[in-house]
Amino acid sequence: MARHPWDARAPHVSVVHPRRVGDGLTPDQARGPHWRRTGSGLHVPAATDSGLPQQRIIEEAARMPTGGAVTGWAACLLAGAAWFDGRAPDRRTSMPVELAVGPRGGVRGHEGVVVSCARLPDWEVWQRYGVRCTRPERAVFDQMRRCSPEEAVVVAESALAGEITSLARLRAFAGGHRSARRRDVAEWALARTRGGVRSPLEVRVRTIAEEAASYSRLEVNRVVVTLDGTRIGEVDLFDVESGTGIEVDGADHRWAGQQSWDIVKDEALRSVGIEVARVTGSQARDVAALARRLDAVRARSRFAPPEKRGWRLLPAGVDTEALLVEREHDATWREWHST
């Protein structure tokens, strides 16, 4: 069954680790058409899928010195968070793989790699896909500090959606690294992170609504029901005070069947007094224009007091700590039995 493009959990895929000349590979074989060079003295079979982001990470990781580790978005992907696919927000530019090598260095950066010489304690490292990676909290922290504050929120939310860490763990890690460069960016982002998102676009729209428009803290993916308990639907972003719903429409909403359902859902929401705004990816690129439009929608909302509302929200909230422990145990078991 095909995966939805915004499935947050990445399936475990097969990768090929580069081999060195002399490690069962002769110089003549390496120069032949059946092998592809990935680095100095490193090769993989020519048929290896180089377009797979996990494969790209494995190939770059082979350059690391002893004691180094993959970090940033790449470590998050190897841990199982699918939205870290190695593409920048424009969805066209490939991001470099970040290698944490510690203060001693030992590897040069190039077009596909960026090197971090920050301190790398052993307790911040584990193994995934047969390579050393930083644990999710360090990986997310490193990636957030390389982003704008707004994109740092997307990084944190993507990690939570991928179920590789929790907000409590991320905040604890940031709190223990007060002298880190650009720590203020991570703190700003974590203060605005809450989990439960369905796509990176949803996070960007929420940030625009809360930071550039006049919305206060929005509810995320809450189910709206009538007063008698009839389910109307799940709203992507919801402003309880004004009774405004914001629906974020990705590419899957272009399908005629989905569009028909969206119309029915909007009519049902408006019938109980909820005003609805729909936002696409292209609209989210113009922050000022989108903020003005969202403010206009909010201004015409009812702002009904609780006793006069024709709707209510179902309870939300999930404790992820037990789930994280289970996933980490399973991943460690896989690494142990694959070596």
Side-chain angles (χ1 to χ4, degrees):
M1 184 177 179
R3 298 179 68 248
H4 189 278
W6 291 122
D7 280 352
R9 285 289 301 166
H12 194 275
V13 299
S14 296
V15 296
V16 179
H17 288 259
R19 291 168 60 181
R20 292 190 177 276
V21 173
D23 182 20
L25 180 66
T26 68
D28 286 342
Q29 287 174 326
R31 287 191 293 266
H34 302 297
W35 291 85
R36 172 171 59 83
R37 184 177 182 272
T38 64
S40 179
L42 296 168
H43 299 77
V44 295
T48 302
D49 183 3
S50 59
L52 192 68
Q54 290 92 334
Q55 181 62 40
R56 178 161 73 95
I57 296 166
I58 296 303
E59 292 179 10
E60 298 295 0
R63 305 169 182 266
M64 289 191 304
T66 302
V70 174
T71 191
W73 71 265
C76 292
L77 177 60
L78 296 189
W83 296 352
F84 296 95
D85 59 4
R87 288 184 289 178
D90 63 13
R91 309 304 298 156
R92 294 186 297 272
T93 307
S94 291
M95 296 191 296
V97 174
E98 184 174 358
L99 302 180
V101 297
R104 295 185 178 181
V107 65
R108 294 181 179 178
H110 60 87
E111 184 179 357
V113 165
V114 62
V115 176
S116 168
C117 294
R119 183 169 167 266
L120 184 64
D122 286 341
W123 57 83
E124 293 181 2
V125 178
W126 61 5
Q127 184 169 289
R128 292 294 178 267
Y129 280 83
V131 300
R132 282 168 53 89
C133 302
T134 57
R135 288 179 173 270
E137 294 73 38
R138 167 67 185 266
V140 172
F141 188 67
D142 286 349
Q143 188 64 34
M144 284 195 295
R145 294 183 299 123
R146 289 191 175 276
C147 298
S148 68
E150 294 78 11
E151 280 304 306
V153 181
V154 178
V155 170
E157 292 284 14
S158 298
L160 298 187
E163 299 175 349
I164 60 172
T165 187
S166 67
L167 184 54
R169 290 186 181 190
L170 291 175
R171 286 175 173 168
F173 187 91
H177 293 75
R178 298 185 181 279
S179 62
R181 182 183 63 86
R182 299 195 78 216
R183 177 178 174 271
D184 58 320
V185 173
E187 285 189 325
W188 188 92
L190 291 175
R192 290 156 177 80
T193 301
R194 64 208 66 164
V197 302
R198 299 282 190 266
S199 73
L201 176 59
E202 182 184 296
V203 184
R204 295 183 179 106
V205 172
R206 188 186 78 202
T207 303
I208 292 171
E210 294 179 348
E211 303 299 325
S214 59
Y215 290 74
S216 56
R217 188 176 176 89
L218 294 169
E219 296 291 329
V220 178
N221 290 304
R222 295 294 296 276
V223 175
V224 179
V225 299
T226 62
L227 295 181
D228 64 4
T230 302
R231 189 182 194 277
I232 296 176
E234 185 178 270
V235 179
D236 295 339
L237 303 169
F238 193 75
D239 180 29
V240 176
E241 179 188 16
S242 64
T244 307
I246 303 174
E247 292 285 83
V248 182
D249 293 350
D252 54 319
H253 285 260
R254 299 171 188 165
W255 174 57
Q258 181 62 52
Q259 290 178 348
S260 297
W261 165 244
D262 290 342
I263 293 172
V264 172
K265 180 180 176 182
D266 290 355
E267 290 174 347
L269 290 169
R270 291 190 175 102
S271 71
V272 295
I274 296 174
E275 193 63 43
V276 182
R278 288 197 169 270
V279 181
T280 64
S282 60
Q283 292 169 338
R285 287 194 285 270
D286 190 335
V287 174
L290 177 57
R292 288 194 297 270
R293 188 162 74 85
L294 292 177
D295 277 340
V297 174
R298 190 173 192 269
R300 64 174 182 260
S301 297
R302 293 189 181 183
F303 287 85
E307 68 273 12
K308 293 186 178 181
R309 293 170 183 166
W311 51 267
R312 59 187 177 88
L313 302 180
L314 292 185
V318 177
D319 181 6
T320 60
E321 192 62 31
L323 176 63
L324 290 174
V325 171
E326 180 182 353
R327 291 196 184 282
E328 289 167 359
H329 178 272
D330 290 346
T332 301
W333 183 91
R334 183 186 296 115
E335 290 295 322
W336 176 264
H337 287 272
S338 65
T339 56

